[in-house]
Amino acid sequence: MLTNKKIILAVTGSIAAYKTPELVRQLVKQGAEVQVLMTRAAADFVSPLSLSTVSKNSVYSSVSDNDQWHNHVHLGRWADVMLVAPCSANSLAKMAHGLCDNIVQAVYLSATCPVLVAPAMDEDMWIHPSTQANVQKIQSYGNTIIEPEHGELASGIIGAGRMADPERIVQFVAGFLAQKAEKQALSIYKKALITAGPTYEKLDPVRFIGNYSSGKMGIALAQNLAQQGVAVTLVLGPTKETVSMPGITVVKVESAQEMYAQCEAVFEEMDLVIMSAAVADFRPAEQAKEKIKKKEDLDHMTLELVKNPDILATLGQKKTKQVIVGFALETNNELEHAQAKLVKKNADFIVLNSLNDKGAGFGTDTNKVTIISTNKPPYELPLQSKADVAREIINYISRS
Ligand code: PMT
């Protein structure tokens, strides 16, 4: 059921930790390789020696043990799934708020794999509004909750909050991974590169040339693809939007040149490329090292700009197996300009949005687009949320 699956089991401080040697035993029996992480509080309920014996692996209780540093980023990328079981109210709260004071939280924050969480606590703690808000928060980050059961709790009270039985957790993990594999097999794309957000072209240490892109359109595309099991590299310009979802590797960049370098580095391995970023076509010819001072005797100032690489056009020329989708943000003669971009940039599709449509384009939560391709008439979509636009774009290009 779990043959060759790599599982991180993160054990936190709850009485239910006493069940984890049995949980590990069953995971290993199903063929999984298990790496156990523990918080210090967890060690009050179960011994690291028991867990290392059943997992046949060293147990990590800290980011470093003796003189050895455990690479939490590598661990988060190594695993097929991270399972936090039991997850105490305290650890749940830390996950919801991004705290990072132990190895479990460090690996959780670095994890690019799906994260499954099996909470365990007394009923009053479980139903407390702050715990329930934290549950919702971590679900909104794309994590999955393995619902606790009703039964006898550590306090002696009968109620909700008991960690799911090891057998149920193992079945849940196996079912979850099987479903993910099914979705992956259904999607015709395995790896996708998305660009999103603006670029900032530095003028001096305090000023830049930029634009109003928020990154929302590209993030919605990345999230939709990741939900289908596609491994997404999201090259993201400066934005205040945050992205945290298993399956999305975020590469932050600032300038067009940086965006180009990051896209070029991964382009060959991609089978789908969607460029929704608003890239500056030009950058200042020179970047002043010190703040440019106002010269009192000058009424105007001329900036010399040089051309940036056209990322879409350059990758379009290198295209082998990739399906390439560009965007076009237009203000006049929209269809004509978008059609010209399809040819000039050697793209398979251009998604046109116009600043003349209310609710479309920069910064909004909605967009109104028309998809242009060489062999079909323009496909016009209504004004809808960027999440729905993303779903429609991906469905359309997958069918074409
Ligand atoms: O980020 P949001 O606030 O959600 O807004 C979304 C959006 C309006 C930014 C998005 O929907 C969009 O239209 N993105 C493309 C904006 C744009 O710069 O269009 P363009 O017509 O200038 O560029 C055409 C295409 O070439 C785009 O795919 C662009 O990413 C690409 N390009 C442009 C210039 C350049 N030097 N390199 C590029 O790759």
Side-chain angles (χ1 to χ4, degrees):
M1 232 168 29
L2 291 169
T3 312
N4 297 330
K5 293 293 177 219
K6 298 185 182 82
I7 299 177
I8 289 175
L9 172 65
V11 184
T12 74
S14 154
I15 180 71
Y18 83 88
K19 297 180 187 173
T20 53
E22 177 55 18
L23 175 58
V24 174
R25 198 187 67 75
Q26 290 196 28
L27 290 169
V28 171
K29 200 171 157 203
Q30 297 293 340
E33 186 181 344
V34 182
Q35 173 62 63
V36 179
L37 313 175
M38 296 177 82
T39 62
R40 291 198 193 289
D44 292 337
F45 299 98
V46 62
S47 89
L49 184 60
S50 309
L51 289 165
S52 70
T53 308
V54 282
S55 68
K56 304 183 181 72
N57 255 330
S58 299
V59 168
Y60 299 153
S61 314
S62 162
V63 178
S64 63
D65 285 328
N66 302 320
D67 60 350
Q68 214 195 340
W69 177 63
H70 305 309
N71 186 332
H72 51 88
V73 176
H74 170 72
L75 278 168
R77 291 183 179 199
W78 165 84
D80 293 302
V81 69
M82 177 175 184
L83 171 63
V84 188
C87 183
S88 66
N90 187 37
S91 291
L92 188 78
K94 288 182 185 176
M95 289 167 77
H97 296 281
L99 270 70
C100 187
D101 60 354
N102 61 41
I103 185 153
V104 168
Q105 300 300 330
V107 173
Y108 164 68
L109 287 176
S110 319
T112 52
C113 61
V115 181
L116 309 183
V117 181
M121 61 198 79
D122 251 289
E123 185 177 48
D124 295 337
M125 295 164 82
W126 173 242
I127 62 175
H128 194 281
S130 59
T131 304
Q132 288 304 309
N134 288 337
V135 166
Q136 277 185 16
K137 219 169 196 161
I138 68 165
Q139 282 175 319
S140 75
Y141 302 151
N143 304 306
T144 303
I145 298 287
I146 306 177
E147 284 294 321
E149 292 171 355
H150 195 272
E152 190 177 348
L153 303 165
S155 58
I157 292 171
I158 310 282
R162 236 171 99 106
M163 184 179 83
D165 265 349
E167 203 178 330
R168 210 188 112 215
I169 296 181
V170 174
Q171 277 171 6
F172 193 101
V173 175
F176 179 90
L177 288 175
Q179 222 177 36
K180 188 177 164 228
E182 256 170 49
K183 278 191 203 161
Q184 244 160 354
L186 279 179
S187 169
I188 58 170
Y189 305 113
K190 304 286 169 252
K191 287 186 170 187
L193 166 66
I194 314 280
T195 66
T199 60
Y200 285 0
E201 310 298 328
K202 268 193 186 150
L203 198 53
D204 69 11
V206 297
R207 303 180 184 94
F208 59 82
I209 297 174
N211 60 66
Y212 298 113
S213 170
S214 62
K216 286 180 185 172
M217 189 64 250
I219 292 170
L221 287 158
Q223 286 171 332
N224 185 288
L225 286 164
Q227 276 161 5
Q228 295 182 42
V230 180
V232 179
T233 301
L234 175 63
V235 181
L236 185 61
T239 167
K240 60 177 187 345
E241 296 298 313
T242 52
V243 193
S244 168
M245 185 183 263
I248 304 181
T249 304
V250 182
V251 181
K252 291 202 172 160
V253 294
E254 195 166 295
S255 65
Q257 284 178 302
E258 283 168 22
M259 187 172 271
Y260 174 61
Q262 294 296 341
C263 289
E264 212 198 10
V266 295
F267 177 71
E268 218 178 282
E269 63 195 74
M270 297 294 151
D271 36 38
L272 173 65
V273 175
I274 308 182
M275 307 240 137
S276 67
V279 186
D281 290 320
F282 290 90
R283 64 178 184 277
E286 276 177 35
Q287 255 183 42
K289 290 211 166 37
E290 308 296 340
K291 184 178 170 189
I292 300 169
K293 295 280 181 236
K294 183 167 68 178
K295 293 196 177 95
E296 295 299 342
D297 53 335
L298 286 184
D299 286 338
H300 69 270
M301 179 181 168
T302 307
L303 265 183
E304 195 191 338
L305 301 176
V306 292
K307 219 173 190 173
N308 265 330
D310 188 322
I311 309 169
L312 178 57
T314 313
L315 298 183
Q317 291 310 321
K318 293 187 180 177
K319 175 163 78 171
T320 51
K321 59 178 179 174
Q322 296 84 357
V323 170
I324 300 192
V325 184
F327 268 69
L329 180 63
E330 304 295 344
T331 55
N332 63 314
N333 296 338
E334 288 93 337
L335 263 178
E336 201 183 306
H337 285 141
Q339 255 143 0
K341 277 180 189 165
L342 183 73
V343 178
K344 197 170 149 214
K345 305 210 182 203
N346 201 23
D348 298 289
F349 301 91
I350 288 283
V351 179
L352 161 68
N353 40 194
S354 166
L355 284 188
N356 294 321
D357 289 322
K358 209 166 171 273
F362 287 138
T364 49
D365 289 327
T366 52
N367 206 359
K368 183 173 183 304
V369 305
T370 301
I371 307 176
I372 320 279
S373 56
T374 42
N375 51 3
K376 283 188 180 172
Y379 181 63
E380 204 179 326
L381 292 167
L383 179 73
Q384 53 195 329
S385 71
K386 282 185 174 162
D388 285 337
V389 172
R391 184 175 44 75
E392 295 237 32
I393 293 173
I394 289 158
N395 282 346
Y396 185 83
I397 62 168
S398 305
R399 282 197 316 263
S400 296

